[in-house]
Amino acid sequence: MTIGIDKIGFATSPYVLRLEDLATARDTDPEKLSKGLLLKEQSVAPITEDIVTLAATAADDILTDEDKEAIDMVILATESGIDQSKAAAVFVHGLLDIQPFARSFEMKEACYAATAALDYAKLHVEKFPQSKVLVIASDIAKYGIGTPGEPTQGAGAVAMLISHNPRILSFNDDNVAQTRDVMDFWRPNYATTPFVNGIYSTQQYLDSLKTTWAEYQKRTGLALTDFAAVCFHLPYPKLALKGLKKILDKSLSEEKKDQLQYNFDQSILYSQRVGNIYTGSLFLGLLSLLENQPQLKAGDRIALFSYGSGAVSEIFSANLVPGFEQLLDHKRMEKLDQRTVLSVADYERLFYEEVDLDPSGNQVFEPATHQTFALTEIKEHQRTYQKVEK
Ligand code: CAA
């Protein structure tokens, strides 16, 4: 039985900040962002957009009524949770009207958790082949005004429907994970933005990649020649490019190197315009590759490198399934073009707006234009979401 990704959807917020504008406002050379980090834009989420609305929008895009009857597990992976107790997956389950006898919960390990969610979904479908599992990676990455991480911020969610006989990618049983207890990026409960040891975090990312890849090769006997492409967690694309160069074997033919480089370039196209979406970044890279590389074909094997600060990393692979291209959305770039461009002042106002409750814990919100789901009210500290009529 094959198990893997049957459908994949993506959502981002309706606003965008151009990094050349940010560079000007921060008195930075724009090429530091465009060439030093390989970034162009970042999605900006207003207060009415959070991990629940992004997740619901990404999933709503792909699910049929039949899927909603078959889904018996909803896993939401996130670093930017909205409640210390209630799982965002429960809100999403309700908003999407998924049948009630389902297990819904949240998973956390910085940017890594969606990979663990996929592993768990695979085990569940192996045991119950008629089940479908909805895995959503949803995050809003906020570092703060003027911080080194500011240009890498972003917002978005990737939803994946995991089933047997999947129509996009089938997972191989070759996962190799690594845990190392390091403080490269973390966010205590009392902090709204993370503490980051920036350069140290890049070293941890690259060293986790190198050592996990070595162990993966040792255990599986596979080499880069067995892969059509490698997708990376994309905190910002330049770091992943360094990662690709780190694992490129000197003995590889120029043709193979060119193929891997070209496919890497296709895998960063969406992240360059959306920014870091933490748990979803790796899968946004995968989506970008699949939707922008028409030469990929059924049977091609793709490696995926997942990294979550703290730190947990994992390498696994999946094979493209015949007909996969029919399940994709080749108009994604046009949709990104439709976001409203913000001035830096408007970005600062929107992105850093805080909930301002009255003494009883109430506040009403006006959804932004072009939102599919929105936070419309907090009533006695309870968040209320609605599908926005278009
Ligand atoms: N023109 C072209 N390039 C320029 C330039 C210019 N004028 N000025 C600088 N650059 C280049 C630098 O040479 C450098 O390139 P190399 O890395 O190839 O040397 C690059 O731009 C970045 O410049 P700096 O080294 O000065 O670093 P920075 O101030 O931009 O900060 C960062 C980089 C520390 C990673 C910062 O973006 C950050 O803190 N980011 C958040 C943490 C992060 O993303 N870590 C990644 C690993 S952790 C993870 O993966 C989990 C996660 O998602 C957060």
Short mmCIF file of all heavy atoms in Angstrom, two decimals, residues 29-33 35-37 110-111 143 147-152 184-185 196-199 201-203 205 233-236 238-239 242 276 278 281 307-309, ligand 1:
data_model
loop_
_atom_site.label_atom_id
_atom_site.label_comp_id
_atom_site.label_asym_id
_atom_site.label_seq_id
_atom_site.Cartn_x
_atom_site.Cartn_y
_atom_site.Cartn_z
N ASP A 29 21.21 48.26 2.40
CA ASP A 29 21.37 48.05 0.96
C ASP A 29 20.33 47.00 0.51
O ASP A 29 20.34 45.88 1.03
CB ASP A 29 22.80 47.56 0.70
CG ASP A 29 23.07 47.34 -0.78
OD1 ASP A 29 22.13 47.45 -1.59
OD2 ASP A 29 24.24 47.03 -1.12
N PRO A 30 19.45 47.34 -0.45
CA PRO A 30 18.43 46.36 -0.89
C PRO A 30 19.04 45.05 -1.34
O PRO A 30 18.42 43.99 -1.22
CB PRO A 30 17.72 47.06 -2.05
CG PRO A 30 18.04 48.50 -1.91
CD PRO A 30 19.33 48.61 -1.16
N GLU A 31 20.29 45.10 -1.85
CA GLU A 31 20.92 43.85 -2.33
C GLU A 31 21.27 42.92 -1.17
O GLU A 31 21.45 41.72 -1.37
CB GLU A 31 22.17 44.17 -3.16
CG GLU A 31 21.80 44.85 -4.45
CD GLU A 31 22.79 44.63 -5.56
OE1 GLU A 31 23.95 44.25 -5.27
OE2 GLU A 31 22.41 44.84 -6.72
N LYS A 32 21.37 43.47 0.03
CA LYS A 32 21.60 42.58 1.17
C LYS A 32 20.42 41.62 1.31
O LYS A 32 20.59 40.45 1.65
CB LYS A 32 21.77 43.38 2.46
CG LYS A 32 21.99 42.48 3.65
CD LYS A 32 22.28 43.18 4.95
CE LYS A 32 22.47 42.12 6.04
NZ LYS A 32 22.47 42.64 7.37
N LEU A 33 19.22 42.13 1.03
CA LEU A 33 18.03 41.28 1.15
C LEU A 33 17.80 40.45 -0.11
O LEU A 33 17.50 39.27 -0.04
CB LEU A 33 16.79 42.14 1.47
CG LEU A 33 16.98 43.15 2.62
CD1 LEU A 33 15.67 43.84 2.96
CD2 LEU A 33 17.54 42.49 3.87
N LYS A 35 20.05 39.67 -2.57
CA LYS A 35 21.15 38.74 -2.89
C LYS A 35 21.68 38.05 -1.65
O LYS A 35 22.00 36.86 -1.68
CB LYS A 35 22.29 39.48 -3.60
CG LYS A 35 21.85 40.01 -4.96
CD LYS A 35 23.02 40.50 -5.79
CE LYS A 35 22.54 40.88 -7.18
NZ LYS A 35 23.34 41.93 -7.79
N GLY A 36 21.79 38.79 -0.55
CA GLY A 36 22.33 38.20 0.69
C GLY A 36 21.40 37.17 1.30
O GLY A 36 21.84 36.18 1.88
N LEU A 37 20.06 37.43 1.20
CA LEU A 37 19.09 36.49 1.77
C LEU A 37 18.26 35.79 0.69
O LEU A 37 17.54 34.85 0.97
CB LEU A 37 18.14 37.21 2.74
CG LEU A 37 18.78 37.98 3.91
CD1 LEU A 37 17.71 38.69 4.74
CD2 LEU A 37 19.57 37.03 4.82
N ALA A 110 9.10 24.10 16.99
CA ALA A 110 9.53 25.17 16.08
C ALA A 110 9.07 24.86 14.65
O ALA A 110 7.90 24.56 14.44
CB ALA A 110 11.04 25.36 16.18
N CYS A 111 9.97 24.90 13.68
CA CYS A 111 9.56 24.73 12.28
C CYS A 111 9.47 23.27 11.86
O CYS A 111 9.15 22.96 10.71
CB CYS A 111 10.54 25.45 11.35
SG CYS A 111 10.80 27.16 11.81
N TYR A 143 9.53 38.76 13.94
CA TYR A 143 10.78 38.96 14.69
C TYR A 143 10.83 40.31 15.38
O TYR A 143 11.51 40.47 16.38
CB TYR A 143 11.98 38.82 13.74
CG TYR A 143 12.25 37.40 13.32
CD1 TYR A 143 11.75 36.91 12.13
CD2 TYR A 143 13.00 36.54 14.12
CE1 TYR A 143 12.00 35.60 11.73
CE2 TYR A 143 13.26 35.24 13.74
CZ TYR A 143 12.76 34.77 12.54
OH TYR A 143 12.99 33.48 12.15
N THR A 147 14.88 44.25 13.69
CA THR A 147 15.71 43.10 14.09
C THR A 147 16.35 42.47 12.84
O THR A 147 15.85 42.65 11.72
CB THR A 147 14.86 42.01 14.77
OG1 THR A 147 13.85 41.59 13.84
CG2 THR A 147 14.18 42.53 16.03
N PRO A 148 17.44 41.71 13.02
CA PRO A 148 18.05 41.04 11.85
C PRO A 148 17.07 40.10 11.15
O PRO A 148 17.13 39.90 9.94
CB PRO A 148 19.22 40.26 12.45
CG PRO A 148 19.52 40.92 13.75
CD PRO A 148 18.21 41.49 14.25
N GLY A 149 16.15 39.52 11.93
CA GLY A 149 15.20 38.57 11.33
C GLY A 149 14.05 39.24 10.59
O GLY A 149 13.30 38.57 9.85
N GLU A 150 13.86 40.57 10.78
CA GLU A 150 12.68 41.24 10.21
C GLU A 150 12.48 40.96 8.71
O GLU A 150 11.36 40.67 8.28
CB GLU A 150 12.74 42.75 10.48
CG GLU A 150 11.47 43.46 10.02
CD GLU A 150 11.56 44.98 10.20
OE1 GLU A 150 12.68 45.54 10.10
OE2 GLU A 150 10.50 45.60 10.41
N PRO A 151 13.55 41.04 7.89
CA PRO A 151 13.31 40.81 6.45
C PRO A 151 12.85 39.40 6.12
O PRO A 151 12.37 39.16 5.01
CB PRO A 151 14.69 41.08 5.82
CG PRO A 151 15.51 41.76 6.87
CD PRO A 151 14.94 41.38 8.19
N THR A 152 13.02 38.46 7.06
CA THR A 152 12.66 37.06 6.76
C THR A 152 11.25 36.71 7.23
O THR A 152 10.83 35.57 7.09
CB THR A 152 13.66 36.08 7.42
OG1 THR A 152 13.44 36.07 8.84
CG2 THR A 152 15.10 36.46 7.15
N ASP A 184 19.05 28.00 19.75
CA ASP A 184 19.34 28.85 18.58
C ASP A 184 18.17 29.79 18.28
O ASP A 184 18.36 30.87 17.73
CB ASP A 184 19.71 28.00 17.36
CG ASP A 184 18.65 27.01 16.94
OD1 ASP A 184 17.84 26.59 17.80
OD2 ASP A 184 18.61 26.64 15.75
N PHE A 185 16.98 29.39 18.66
CA PHE A 185 15.77 30.18 18.41
C PHE A 185 14.72 29.60 19.35
O PHE A 185 14.49 28.40 19.34
CB PHE A 185 15.38 29.97 16.94
CG PHE A 185 14.03 30.47 16.52
CD1 PHE A 185 13.91 31.57 15.67
CD2 PHE A 185 12.86 29.81 16.90
CE1 PHE A 185 12.66 32.00 15.25
CE2 PHE A 185 11.62 30.24 16.48
CZ PHE A 185 11.52 31.34 15.65
N VAL A 196 16.58 34.96 19.35
CA VAL A 196 17.29 34.30 18.25
C VAL A 196 18.79 34.52 18.37
O VAL A 196 19.24 35.66 18.51
CB VAL A 196 16.85 34.88 16.87
CG1 VAL A 196 17.42 34.03 15.75
CG2 VAL A 196 15.34 34.98 16.76
N ASN A 197 19.53 33.44 18.36
CA ASN A 197 20.98 33.52 18.15
C ASN A 197 21.19 33.29 16.67
O ASN A 197 21.40 32.14 16.23
CB ASN A 197 21.72 32.46 18.98
CG ASN A 197 21.80 32.86 20.44
OD1 ASN A 197 21.89 34.05 20.75
ND2 ASN A 197 21.75 31.90 21.33
N GLY A 198 21.07 34.37 15.88
CA GLY A 198 20.93 34.25 14.43
C GLY A 198 22.01 33.43 13.74
O GLY A 198 21.72 32.43 13.08
N ILE A 199 23.27 33.84 13.90
CA ILE A 199 24.35 33.14 13.18
C ILE A 199 24.49 31.71 13.69
O ILE A 199 24.64 30.76 12.92
CB ILE A 199 25.68 33.93 13.31
CG1 ILE A 199 25.54 35.33 12.70
CG2 ILE A 199 26.84 33.17 12.67
CD1 ILE A 199 25.14 35.38 11.23
N SER A 201 22.11 29.92 14.80
CA SER A 201 20.99 29.12 14.25
C SER A 201 21.32 28.65 12.83
O SER A 201 20.97 27.53 12.45
CB SER A 201 19.68 29.90 14.29
OG SER A 201 19.65 30.92 13.30
N THR A 202 22.01 29.49 12.06
CA THR A 202 22.36 29.07 10.70
C THR A 202 23.39 27.94 10.74
O THR A 202 23.36 27.01 9.94
CB THR A 202 22.90 30.25 9.86
OG1 THR A 202 24.11 30.73 10.44
CG2 THR A 202 21.90 31.38 9.76
N GLN A 203 24.31 28.02 11.74
CA GLN A 203 25.31 26.96 11.88
C GLN A 203 24.64 25.65 12.28
O GLN A 203 24.98 24.57 11.78
CB GLN A 203 26.37 27.35 12.93
CG GLN A 203 27.25 28.49 12.48
CD GLN A 203 27.97 29.18 13.64
OE1 GLN A 203 27.66 28.94 14.81
NE2 GLN A 203 28.91 30.05 13.32
N TYR A 205 21.54 24.77 11.68
CA TYR A 205 20.78 24.30 10.50
C TYR A 205 21.72 23.53 9.57
O TYR A 205 21.43 22.40 9.16
CB TYR A 205 20.18 25.52 9.81
CG TYR A 205 19.47 25.29 8.49
CD1 TYR A 205 18.08 25.32 8.43
CD2 TYR A 205 20.18 25.10 7.30
CE1 TYR A 205 17.41 25.14 7.21
CE2 TYR A 205 19.53 24.92 6.09
CZ TYR A 205 18.14 24.95 6.05
OH TYR A 205 17.49 24.77 4.85
N HIS A 233 13.89 23.10 4.36
CA HIS A 233 13.23 24.13 5.18
C HIS A 233 13.82 25.47 4.74
O HIS A 233 15.05 25.59 4.57
CB HIS A 233 13.50 23.88 6.67
CG HIS A 233 13.10 25.05 7.52
ND1 HIS A 233 11.87 25.65 7.42
CD2 HIS A 233 13.79 25.76 8.46
CE1 HIS A 233 11.81 26.67 8.27
NE2 HIS A 233 12.96 26.76 8.90
N LEU A 234 12.95 26.47 4.56
CA LEU A 234 13.39 27.74 3.98
C LEU A 234 13.16 28.91 4.95
O LEU A 234 12.22 29.69 4.78
CB LEU A 234 12.63 28.00 2.67
CG LEU A 234 12.89 27.01 1.53
CD1 LEU A 234 11.85 27.14 0.43
CD2 LEU A 234 14.28 27.21 0.96
N PRO A 235 14.01 29.06 5.98
CA PRO A 235 13.88 30.24 6.83
C PRO A 235 14.15 31.50 6.02
O PRO A 235 13.54 32.53 6.23
CB PRO A 235 14.94 30.04 7.91
CG PRO A 235 15.86 29.00 7.40
CD PRO A 235 15.11 28.19 6.39
N TYR A 236 15.06 31.39 5.09
CA TYR A 236 15.27 32.33 3.99
C TYR A 236 16.08 31.55 2.96
O TYR A 236 16.93 30.73 3.32
CB TYR A 236 15.95 33.64 4.44
CG TYR A 236 17.26 33.46 5.13
CD1 TYR A 236 18.47 33.54 4.42
CD2 TYR A 236 17.33 33.20 6.49
CE1 TYR A 236 19.68 33.37 5.05
CE2 TYR A 236 18.55 33.00 7.12
CZ TYR A 236 19.72 33.09 6.40
OH TYR A 236 20.93 32.90 7.02
N LYS A 238 18.54 31.82 0.96
CA LYS A 238 20.00 31.79 0.84
C LYS A 238 20.60 30.71 1.76
O LYS A 238 21.60 30.06 1.40
CB LYS A 238 20.56 33.17 1.18
CG LYS A 238 22.08 33.30 1.11
CD LYS A 238 22.59 33.28 -0.31
CE LYS A 238 24.09 33.51 -0.39
NZ LYS A 238 24.50 34.86 -0.02
N LEU A 239 20.01 30.52 2.93
CA LEU A 239 20.55 29.51 3.85
C LEU A 239 20.38 28.12 3.24
O LEU A 239 21.29 27.28 3.32
CB LEU A 239 19.84 29.60 5.21
CG LEU A 239 20.37 28.63 6.27
CD1 LEU A 239 21.85 28.87 6.56
CD2 LEU A 239 19.55 28.74 7.56
N LYS A 242 22.97 27.49 0.69
CA LYS A 242 24.24 27.06 1.31
C LYS A 242 24.15 25.58 1.67
O LYS A 242 25.13 24.85 1.57
CB LYS A 242 24.50 27.87 2.59
CG LYS A 242 24.95 29.27 2.33
CD LYS A 242 25.29 29.94 3.65
CE LYS A 242 25.61 31.39 3.44
NZ LYS A 242 25.93 32.09 4.67
N ASN A 276 9.28 33.57 5.50
CA ASN A 276 9.34 32.35 6.31
C ASN A 276 7.95 32.05 6.86
O ASN A 276 7.33 32.93 7.47
CB ASN A 276 10.34 32.56 7.46
CG ASN A 276 10.68 31.25 8.18
OD1 ASN A 276 10.15 30.18 7.86
ND2 ASN A 276 11.58 31.34 9.15
N TYR A 278 7.69 29.30 8.85
CA TYR A 278 8.10 28.32 9.86
C TYR A 278 7.73 26.88 9.48
O TYR A 278 8.36 26.30 8.61
CB TYR A 278 7.50 28.70 11.22
CG TYR A 278 8.04 29.95 11.87
CD1 TYR A 278 7.26 30.65 12.81
CD2 TYR A 278 9.30 30.46 11.60
CE1 TYR A 278 7.73 31.78 13.47
CE2 TYR A 278 9.78 31.60 12.26
CZ TYR A 278 9.00 32.25 13.18
OH TYR A 278 9.46 33.37 13.82
N SER A 281 7.28 26.11 5.72
CA SER A 281 8.26 26.57 4.73
C SER A 281 8.78 25.45 3.84
O SER A 281 8.90 25.62 2.63
CB SER A 281 9.46 27.22 5.43
OG SER A 281 9.09 28.48 5.90
N TYR A 307 13.84 21.18 9.36
CA TYR A 307 14.64 21.65 10.50
C TYR A 307 13.78 22.52 11.40
O TYR A 307 13.13 23.47 10.93
CB TYR A 307 15.86 22.46 10.03
CG TYR A 307 16.67 23.00 11.19
CD1 TYR A 307 17.60 22.20 11.84
CD2 TYR A 307 16.46 24.30 11.68
CE1 TYR A 307 18.32 22.67 12.93
CE2 TYR A 307 17.17 24.78 12.78
CZ TYR A 307 18.10 23.96 13.40
OH TYR A 307 18.81 24.41 14.49
N GLY A 308 13.78 22.23 12.68
CA GLY A 308 13.10 23.08 13.66
C GLY A 308 14.09 23.42 14.75
O GLY A 308 14.71 22.53 15.35
N SER A 309 14.25 24.70 15.01
CA SER A 309 15.23 25.13 16.02
C SER A 309 14.96 24.45 17.34
O SER A 309 13.84 24.08 17.66
CB SER A 309 15.15 26.65 16.20
OG SER A 309 15.64 27.28 15.05
N1 CAA B 1 24.86 42.95 -0.87
C1 CAA B 1 24.78 41.60 -1.01
N2 CAA B 1 24.90 40.75 0.05
C2 CAA B 1 25.07 41.28 1.27
C3 CAA B 1 25.18 42.68 1.48
C4 CAA B 1 25.08 43.52 0.32
N3 CAA B 1 25.16 44.85 0.43
N4 CAA B 1 25.38 42.89 2.78
C5 CAA B 1 25.39 41.68 3.40
N5 CAA B 1 25.20 40.71 2.48
C6 CAA B 1 25.11 39.26 2.70
C7 CAA B 1 26.11 38.77 3.74
O1 CAA B 1 27.40 38.59 3.17
C8 CAA B 1 25.47 37.47 4.12
O2 CAA B 1 25.69 36.49 3.14
P1 CAA B 1 26.45 35.14 3.52
O3 CAA B 1 25.58 34.49 4.53
O4 CAA B 1 26.54 34.42 2.23
O5 CAA B 1 27.76 35.56 4.09
C9 CAA B 1 23.97 37.78 4.08
O6 CAA B 1 23.85 38.96 3.29
C10 CAA B 1 23.35 38.02 5.43
O7 CAA B 1 24.01 39.08 6.04
P2 CAA B 1 24.58 38.96 7.55
O8 CAA B 1 25.47 37.78 7.68
O9 CAA B 1 25.12 40.29 7.90
O10 CAA B 1 23.34 38.61 8.46
P3 CAA B 1 21.97 39.37 8.73
O11 CAA B 1 22.17 40.55 9.57
O12 CAA B 1 21.20 39.58 7.46
O13 CAA B 1 21.22 38.28 9.56
C11 CAA B 1 20.32 36.19 10.12
C12 CAA B 1 21.06 36.96 9.06
C13 CAA B 1 21.13 36.22 11.42
C14 CAA B 1 20.15 34.76 9.70
C15 CAA B 1 18.96 36.88 10.35
O14 CAA B 1 18.22 36.91 9.17
C16 CAA B 1 18.14 36.18 11.41
O15 CAA B 1 18.34 36.33 12.61
N6 CAA B 1 17.13 35.40 10.94
C17 CAA B 1 16.27 34.66 11.83
C18 CAA B 1 16.86 33.33 12.24
C19 CAA B 1 16.94 32.36 11.10
O16 CAA B 1 16.26 32.46 10.08
N7 CAA B 1 17.79 31.34 11.27
C20 CAA B 1 17.88 30.29 10.29
C21 CAA B 1 18.19 28.95 10.94
S1 CAA B 1 17.00 28.63 12.22
C22 CAA B 1 15.66 27.97 11.39
O17 CAA B 1 15.78 27.52 10.30
C23 CAA B 1 14.34 27.98 12.07
C24 CAA B 1 13.57 29.15 11.56
O18 CAA B 1 12.86 29.03 10.58
C25 CAA B 1 13.71 30.41 12.25
#
